[in-house]
Amino acid sequence: MKTGMILEGGAMRGMYTAGVLDVMMKNNINVDGFVGVSAGATFGCNYKSRQIGRTIRYNLKYCNDPRYSSLRSLITTGDLYGADFCYNQIPNKLDPFDQKTFAANPVNFYVVCTDVHTGEPVYHLCEKGDEEDTQWIRASASMPVVSRVVSVGGYDLLDGGVSDSIPISWFRSMGYERNIVILTRPEGYRKKKNEFFPAIKLLFRKYPKLAEALGKRHEVYNATIDELHRLEKEGNTLIITPSRDLGIRRVESDRKKLQEAYDTGVKDADDRLENIREFLSGSNENVKNPI
């Protein structure tokens, strides 16, 4: 039975996921494959490259840099998160991404994107950590309204969270039957209908299927959460959620809040370390989230 891990997005709430992953790496806890969505892809890739601390390090350093994320970047480039700075300058020069280790690591790493023409999810296996894989990761994290459409692999893509925020069904269909799911919202969270949907529908009139996916996103998300809890009761899914409300915005430049979200992930993972080990070893005892 293949073991897997699913990393939800949530922009800077992904600092929580980074904390959990760093604890897993420090304790040599591995899975056969994992899939990241949006921030789960941009930050999760460091699990395959085995770069403990990289996510929190460069986010603390550059969170207030207008080249990283700013209204100026949105106006001048069409991307709130500057594409060249985030996906070229940082990984290639300022805080190098270990492409060699990434490519050599046998764990399978997938990302989820959304096809803007069909509104359907597109799944991609990132094997090399090269420029093309980087564009897939960028596409997965390109939030609608504040990002340009990313063209790669013959697709026109945006944020994977639009169509499959928590791809548990797809991942199970790929043979990953025993999965850890790291969420970035506390236990009990349910997504509400977007009150700005009429404006979003008008904005994306060129992509009606994408607008349709955005309109039903809350329904799909909440149904997936229900499915996760059903699978958890069966003993083949372990859900890790923040033990507190992270108090962090999707776009966050407060270093203290970023650090606190990361530290919460570290603490929660430390508290559940034996729980995680037992789950991956095949034991069905104590898999229910105690938090």
Side-chain angles (χ1 to χ4, degrees), residues 245-260:
D245 189 319
L246 298 176
I248 190 172
R249 300 172 298 173
R250 288 177 63 85
V251 180
E252 184 63 72
S253 59
D254 187 321
R255 289 188 176 91
K256 181 180 178 181
K257 290 183 177 180
L258 294 174
Q259 185 69 60
E260 288 175 345

Side-chain angles (χ1 to χ4, degrees), residues 11-286:
M12 287 304 164
R13 290 197 305 274
M15 290 300 104
Y16 175 81
T17 303
V20 175
L21 294 180
D22 280 355
V23 169
M24 292 180 67
M25 284 191 280
K26 287 177 181 177
N27 287 275
N28 199 32
I29 294 176
N30 302 302
V31 293
D32 297 312
F34 67 113
V35 54
V37 184
S38 196
T42 56
F43 302 152
C45 63
N46 295 295
Y47 179 79
K48 183 171 168 65
S49 65
R50 311 303 293 176
Q51 290 177 275
I52 299 171
R54 180 173 181 268
T55 298
I56 186 63
R57 181 175 63 241
Y58 76 72
N59 274 281
L60 290 179
K61 186 171 183 178
Y62 297 114
C63 63
N64 287 303
D65 192 315
R67 297 172 297 173
Y68 185 59
S69 174
S70 66
L71 181 60
R72 187 180 80 183
S73 176
L74 178 61
I75 293 172
T76 58
T77 71
D79 291 304
L80 180 65
Y81 286 90
D84 178 67
F85 191 73
C86 293
Y87 299 100
N88 176 24
Q89 297 296 323
I90 289 178
N92 293 324
K93 299 177 181 178
L94 300 175
D95 197 325
F97 180 69
D98 190 344
Q99 183 180 334
K100 183 177 180 180
T101 298
F102 180 97
N105 189 338
V107 63
N108 288 324
F109 171 50
Y110 301 87
V111 299
V112 186
C113 306
T114 300
D115 186 318
V116 299
H117 302 293
T118 66
E120 296 295 323
V122 178
Y123 308 94
H124 177 74
L125 174 63
C126 295
E127 298 180 279
K128 300 178 180 178
D130 57 8
E131 184 177 348
E132 182 176 352
D133 279 347
T134 298
Q135 289 307 302
W136 279 98
I137 292 171
R138 175 191 165 200
S140 180
S142 291
M143 298 182 290
V145 182
V146 295
S147 306
R148 290 175 291 171
V149 171
V150 179
S151 297
V152 60
Y155 296 94
D156 297 321
L157 305 166
L158 281 175
D159 193 340
V162 172
S163 56
D164 200 355
S165 297
I166 311 168
I168 183 68
S169 294
W170 175 80
F171 213 41
R172 283 172 58 81
S173 75
M174 294 293 289
Y176 295 92
E177 299 178 13
R178 196 168 187 81
N179 295 294
I180 296 172
V181 181
I182 303 176
L183 304 179
T184 58
R185 294 283 197 178
E187 177 71 23
Y189 172 79
R190 289 295 185 272
K191 192 176 290 293
K192 298 179 181 178
K193 184 176 182 179
N194 192 325
E195 61 182 311
F196 300 108
F197 178 65
I200 291 174
K201 186 175 181 181
L202 181 63
L203 183 64
F204 287 109
R205 58 188 178 276
K206 182 179 177 181
Y207 304 118
K209 293 296 184 180
L210 177 68
E212 182 181 331
L214 284 163
K216 64 181 183 181
R217 184 180 183 186
H218 64 294
E219 297 174 358
V220 175
Y221 182 91
N222 294 338
T224 303
I225 292 294
D226 291 339
E227 175 67 5
L228 285 178
H229 288 304
R230 183 187 71 79
L231 292 170
E232 184 182 49
K233 289 179 181 179
E234 292 181 356
N236 53 32
T237 299
L238 177 66
I239 304 172
I240 298 177
T241 58
S243 54
R244 66 174 184 87
D245 189 319
L246 298 176
I248 190 172
R249 300 172 298 173
R250 288 177 63 85
V251 180
E252 184 63 72
S253 59
D254 187 321
R255 289 188 176 91
K256 181 180 178 181
K257 290 183 177 180
L258 294 174
Q259 185 69 60
E260 288 175 345
Y262 173 83
D263 290 344
T264 300
V266 169
K267 182 181 184 303
D268 289 354
D270 277 335
D271 289 345
R272 301 196 63 188
L273 205 52
E274 291 309 312
N275 188 204
I276 293 169
R277 286 196 177 105
E278 288 177 3
F279 175 78
L280 291 177
S281 71
S283 170
N284 285 325
E285 297 180 4
N286 301 318

